[in-house]
Amino acid sequence: MFIPLYDTNRLRHIRLQYVTIGLIVANALVYCVTSLSGEAFNNAAVLGLGFIPAVVHDTAQLDPRFIIIPESLSYVTYSFLHGDIFHLGGNMLFLWVFGDNVEDALGHIRYLIFYLLCAIAGAAFQGLVAWDSQVPLIGASGAIAGVVVAYLILYPRVKVWVLAFARIPLRIPAFIPLILWVAFQIVMFAAGGEDQISWACHIGGIIAGAILVLVLRSRGVPLFAPADEDAVASAPEQPPVAVEPETPEQPATTTRWGRGNPSGPN
């Protein structure tokens, strides 16, 4: 529907979004390692690090050959795995466009906590909906959904460049594409959309992001902030400052020795 390209939202509280950059690098590195190491290695990583509801809920047992980590850690590790380059690229594009300003509003540490909790919430909601599923859940979509809804709550009026229908460039307020994106996730979840996409994971991330941004945002960060250009346009003009007129200099006088009479000699 909409592909985000760029926003016009400057950073206000941090100089560099290094947590967002670090998350993108980590996801890219994991994808490179798993995809370039062969199909057998990739499958083992998906089974060992992906979130499998039936395994986590002890209704199924994972082959001991694929046990890499404690089952509970898969609530997080699944979010760093991706099925293909388009899966990775789409998630990281959303993270790049919207993550920096959410990090700016929350601060580095709270933003990292926020991201991981949204990933956990996405897996948890998927587990509730598909309790006995043995299909591994992978991808950062749950965490990204939390970032998207946090941006929507924080900066709905900021202008963003998007590709509508993957081909028409538009510069529009963020609330238009983001509300449509959230609504699409809800509709697809309610309708039981494509099996290859975990809509439940997206919904879990959306719910967590909407709640956590209210709790974790830095002190003084407003909700529903205006766009930078709107804030400038609405700023009241400063009243003119009264300036005292300068006193004209008095003409110089000639002072005779012992007298102040400028009229000349006596």
Side-chain angles (χ1 to χ4, degrees), residues 50 52 56 70 169 201 248:
I52 306 176
V56 173
C201 181

Side-chain angles (χ1 to χ4, degrees), residues 34-99:
T34 55
S35 63
L36 297 178
S37 300
E39 184 177 355
F41 183 89
N42 185 62
N43 290 338
V46 169
L47 291 171
L49 300 175
F51 178 79
I52 306 176
V55 172
V56 173
H57 299 148
D58 295 324
T59 60
Q61 295 296 320
L62 185 64
D63 189 319
R65 295 176 299 168
F66 302 121
I67 297 178
I68 304 173
I69 58 172
E71 297 166 359
S72 58
L73 290 183
S74 66
Y75 278 96
V76 172
T77 55
Y78 85 96
S79 66
F80 291 91
L81 299 169
H82 290 85
D84 55 45
I85 191 65
F86 299 104
H87 188 200
L88 172 71
N91 280 336
M92 295 304 102
L93 178 60
F94 271 78
L95 183 57
W96 174 252
V97 174
F98 301 119

Side-chain angles (χ1 to χ4, degrees), residues 9-257:
N9 199 1
R10 64 183 176 85
L11 298 178
R12 297 167 175 79
H13 307 288
I14 61 174
R15 293 185 177 181
L16 180 67
Q17 65 277 28
Y18 59 75
V19 175
T20 295
I21 294 172
L23 289 169
I24 293 173
V25 170
N27 278 276
L29 287 176
V30 170
Y31 176 77
C32 289
V33 170
T34 55
S35 63
L36 297 178
S37 300
E39 184 177 355
F41 183 89
N42 185 62
N43 290 338
V46 169
L47 291 171
L49 300 175
F51 178 79
I52 306 176
V55 172
V56 173
H57 299 148
D58 295 324
T59 60
Q61 295 296 320
L62 185 64
D63 189 319
R65 295 176 299 168
F66 302 121
I67 297 178
I68 304 173
I69 58 172
E71 297 166 359
S72 58
L73 290 183
S74 66
Y75 278 96
V76 172
T77 55
Y78 85 96
S79 66
F80 291 91
L81 299 169
H82 290 85
D84 55 45
I85 191 65
F86 299 104
H87 188 200
L88 172 71
N91 280 336
M92 295 304 102
L93 178 60
F94 271 78
L95 183 57
W96 174 252
V97 174
F98 301 119
D100 59 339
N101 295 110
V102 178
E103 180 176 351
D104 183 56
L106 273 60
H108 302 300
I109 301 300
R110 287 192 296 272
Y111 171 69
L112 179 59
I113 295 171
F114 169 89
Y115 182 92
L116 296 177
L117 287 178
C118 288
I120 292 170
F125 199 76
Q126 170 68 10
L128 288 175
V129 171
W131 189 271
D132 295 324
S133 173
Q134 297 186 33
V135 178
L137 173 67
I138 60 173
S141 300
I144 302 303
V147 170
V148 167
V149 77
Y151 192 100
L152 173 60
I153 292 173
L154 292 168
Y155 309 109
R157 288 178 281 175
V158 167
K159 300 296 177 57
V160 296
W161 279 99
V162 300
L163 280 181
F165 307 106
R167 61 184 63 191
I168 305 173
L170 296 174
R171 184 174 182 264
I172 55 180
F175 73 86
I176 296 176
L178 298 189
I179 285 179
L180 289 175
W181 185 89
V182 170
F184 182 72
Q185 312 309 306
I186 296 173
V187 169
M188 293 302 290
F189 170 70
E194 305 171 35
D195 292 337
Q196 296 299 317
I197 299 176
S198 174
W199 304 105
C201 181
H202 297 184
I203 298 300
I206 288 171
I207 295 172
I211 296 172
L212 290 171
V213 70
L214 304 178
V215 177
L216 296 179
R217 76 185 193 276
S218 298
R219 181 178 300 177
V221 172
L223 302 177
F224 311 110
D228 287 341
E229 56 265 34
D230 295 339
V232 172
S234 62
E237 295 184 1
Q238 295 296 326
V241 178
V243 178
E244 293 289 339
E246 295 183 2
T247 303
E249 295 183 1
Q250 298 295 325
T253 59
T254 302
T255 303
R256 296 181 63 84
W257 182 262

